[in-house]
Structures are given as C-alpha cells and as structure tokens.
Amino acid sequence: MTIKVAVAGASGYAGGEILRLLLSHPAHESGELQIGALTANSTAGKLLGELMPHLPQLADRVVEETSPETLAGHDVVFLALPHGHSAEIGRQLGEEVLVIDCAADFRLTDEAAWGHYYGGEYAGSWPYGIPEMPGHREQIQGSKRVAVPGCFPTGATLALLPAVAEKLVQPDVTITSITGASGAGKKASVPLLGSEVMGSLKAYGTAGTHRHTPEISQNLSEFSEEKVTVSFTPVLAPLPRGILTTATAALQEGVTEEQARTTYEEFYQDEPFVYVLPAGQQPQTQNVLGSNMCHIQVEVDPFSHKLLVTSAIDNLTKGTGGAAVQCMNIALGLPETAGLPRAAVAP
C-alpha cells in the first residue's frame, strides 16, 4: 500500500521543512510514500522550484490552491498554515485521513486560554505531539488527528519536564528563549528585514503576552499536582534557525545537582531525539542545525538554590517539521526515527 501525503502551506518555512524530511524518508525512497498535492495561497500557480530551489526533486511541481477538495484523497495531510485556518479544513477532511496540524488551532485544552491569547471560535484540542511527554506517544499511535506543538513550547517543555514530573522544583518557572527569525514564518515583515535584525537583539511578546505561554504551562501542569506558573520571554536574534532556551526554577528542599542530573539522564535515556550533554558542555544551536534533536544541560546554582536547564533545538526541525514527521511515523506505525536526522550540519 502506498501512503499518499499532501502538504498545505508547502511554500512556507514549515512546509518546506516537512518536504525536505519526507524526501529522505525511507518510505519515500522505497516508493511506499508518495508526495501528492502541494498547496498554498499567495504562491498558488508557481513552480515549487522557483520558491524552494533547495528541493530539486520537486522543482517541476506546481503549487495548487489550498482547499479541502485539493487535499482530499490523501492518506496524510500536513497543515502548515497560519493559526485559524486549520480548523475548517480539518473538519472537511474525512475521519480516515491522518491530519497533522502545525498551527495552534488544536493545541490548547482550555477554551478560556484560547479566547484570551488567540480569540475567535475555539475548535477544541487534538492529541498533542510531543511524544517525549509520558502518555503522549500512546495518544498519537493510531490517531487520525495530531496537533504539533509550538517551537518555543517544545524547547521549554523538554527542558523542564523531568524536573516538574519528578518534583525537583517548585511549580513556578522562568523561561527565556532566544530564537532565529524563521520562527515568524516567511511572510514579508519590516521588523524581520535583514537590516532590522542583523546586529541586534529584541525581546517581544513580553510580560506573559506571548501566545505560547499557556501552552508551556499546560504541558508542565499535566505532570504537576499544582498548576505551573510560567514567566516566558522570547528574544529575537539575528539567526535563520535555532532556539536556545534557559529555564530556571527554585529547587525543592534537599535536591542536589547529582540528583538532578541523574533524574534527567534516566528520564530521557530511551528518547532518541533528546541528548543530555555531559557536565560542563553547553547546548548550542549550531549543534542541532537541521536535526530533530534537543540538546539539554542541567545544572544547580548553589547560591540561588535554583535549577538551571538549557536546551537547544532547530525551530524548523524538532520545533515544527521534524515533530510533524515524527508524529506521522508514530501514528502510521512506522519506525519513529524514520527520515529524521540526529546528526546536525556543521560548521
């Protein structure tokens, strides 16, 4: 049986990353996975080779208009669309289609949080696509609907999950994430022009206003007896890709650095895409470039009695496209690591 896959939003950064990974997927190389419709809106009618010359295998493919009719007839549909567009399309695709949404439409389980941070009609929630969260791999298996997490929540959740789940810290965390410009998408925007970004750093979505804040809190609170309070600050840096996250939280009484490190190593020992670095080695975005990995370092500050966890991911791979393909693999019963690089590009 051939698995036929469509990508909506194929000319954007997330869509392009999904296609890059699918092209090297073993199932595609064997002919068991076929890349079908590639759709978009503003770029419909253009050749993909004009828009994404880094994907020469698909250079002669014409980008079609995004519609339920165009996406129908596929076994898997990736929705790499801005938030607010996935819900209606998802409703019109049959229950037999595996729909993997890279937008925020189905991530939040709290309707009030959705209304506050996004507004508009609440579409509900789908199985949430961080397989490394206990229980979530099982939810994704055999599911026909998956919500891919946000890029910031991926780095932050993986950084803090063992500490919260194993009660190493108090349920009040502070997170700062430095991100590359591709996280804002491919749309034209003056604040993202090279002359605006190069040589400069800027915090944005500050003081609890960033839309990923409730998602991080939701993820961590799932494994805590109390709701986890999150103070989250994103910082835009002159990088194309990558997110470096630092997360701090007050330790519970008596927790040592050795205990914290052992907890993290044991928690992630069977996770192929999480690497707890040796003591003294710091995560760097360049070491995860193009890979589906999350690199983590865990330390204890003895003076403030706080846990410090640093994580690095590629926002377009583990943070979006790689997570989407990882979820596809799990949902279809394919090897979870298929088509997903663990080695990065260096230098």
Side-chain angles (χ1 to χ4, degrees):
M1 173 184 168
T2 301
I3 302 165
K4 193 173 182 182
V5 177
V7 178
S11 60
Y13 288 140
E17 186 71 354
I18 290 169
L19 289 172
R20 179 181 77 87
L21 297 168
L22 289 178
L23 286 168
S24 60
H25 196 290
H28 180 264
E29 294 177 343
S30 70
E32 298 171 79
L33 185 150
Q34 176 186 345
I35 298 176
L38 308 179
T39 78
N41 286 321
S42 61
T43 58
K46 295 185 177 181
L47 289 173
L48 194 71
E50 299 175 46
L51 306 167
M52 296 190 162
H54 69 292
L55 304 175
Q57 303 98 310
L58 301 171
D60 61 350
R61 299 286 295 276
V62 177
V63 178
E64 302 177 68
E65 190 79 29
T66 299
S67 70
E69 293 74 25
T70 304
L71 298 172
H74 294 82
D75 302 296
V76 181
V77 175
F78 291 98
L79 300 178
L81 304 170
H83 86 270
H85 296 268
S86 303
E88 185 58 34
I89 292 176
R91 274 193 286 264
Q92 295 185 53
L93 294 174
E95 293 183 0
E96 73 283 356
V97 181
L98 171 56
V99 183
I100 299 177
D101 183 28
C102 295
D105 293 37
F106 298 99
R107 294 175 188 160
L108 296 182
T109 58
D110 185 337
E111 184 174 355
W114 171 268
H116 178 79
Y117 282 91
Y118 292 95
E121 182 182 355
Y122 176 63
S125 63
W126 288 353
Y128 185 77
I130 295 184
E132 293 83 4
M133 293 172 63
H136 282 250
R137 187 173 276 109
E138 292 73 18
Q139 293 175 23
I140 297 165
Q141 288 171 348
S143 175
K144 293 297 184 181
R145 297 291 186 270
V146 180
V148 175
C151 52
F152 287 129
T154 297
T157 299
L158 293 175
L160 285 167
L161 182 58
V164 172
E166 301 300 328
K167 300 180 175 59
L168 301 182
V169 296
Q170 298 177 22
D172 182 13
V173 302
T174 300
I175 301 164
T176 300
S177 293
I178 302 170
T179 183
S182 63
K186 207 174 183 179
K187 62 184 181 297
S189 174
V190 171
L192 297 175
L193 292 172
S195 57
E196 300 289 331
V197 174
M198 288 188 297
S200 180
L201 295 171
K202 181 180 74 172
Y204 65 99
T206 54
T209 60
H210 195 280
R211 286 169 166 172
H212 286 175
T213 303
E215 190 178 337
I216 299 170
S217 178
Q218 171 183 288
N219 293 351
L220 298 176
S221 297
E222 183 178 333
F223 301 93
S224 173
E225 295 174 357
E226 303 174 57
K227 181 177 179 179
V228 178
T229 303
V230 173
S231 175
F232 172 57
T233 304
V235 178
L236 178 63
L239 304 168
R241 291 172 175 250
I243 295 176
L244 185 74
T245 293
T246 59
T248 59
L251 289 164
Q252 298 287 8
E253 194 65 35
V255 175
T256 65
E257 181 162 336
E258 181 181 0
Q259 180 183 350
R261 170 164 292 280
T262 299
T263 297
Y264 271 73
E265 290 172 345
E266 291 179 352
F267 196 94
Y268 286 130
Q269 63 183 349
D270 296 323
E271 292 297 341
F273 297 120
V274 181
Y275 176 37
V276 179
L277 294 169
Q281 186 176 343
Q282 287 296 328
Q284 298 183 63
T285 56
Q286 67 176 357
N287 293 334
V288 295
L289 184 65
S291 81
N292 200 51
M293 294 297 296
C294 176
H295 287 190
I296 288 177
Q297 182 56 270
V298 55
E299 302 170 88
V300 166
D301 180 345
F303 301 102
S304 65
H305 198 59
K306 288 186 177 180
L307 184 76
L308 168 63
V309 186
T310 308
S311 71
I313 62 170
D314 184 324
N315 59 294
L316 292 180
T317 316
K318 184 57 175 168
T320 311
V325 173
Q326 186 178 351
C327 289
M328 178 196 76
N329 288 340
I330 295 170
L332 294 179
L334 300 171
E336 184 173 338
T337 59
L340 297 170
R342 297 180 65 196
V345 178

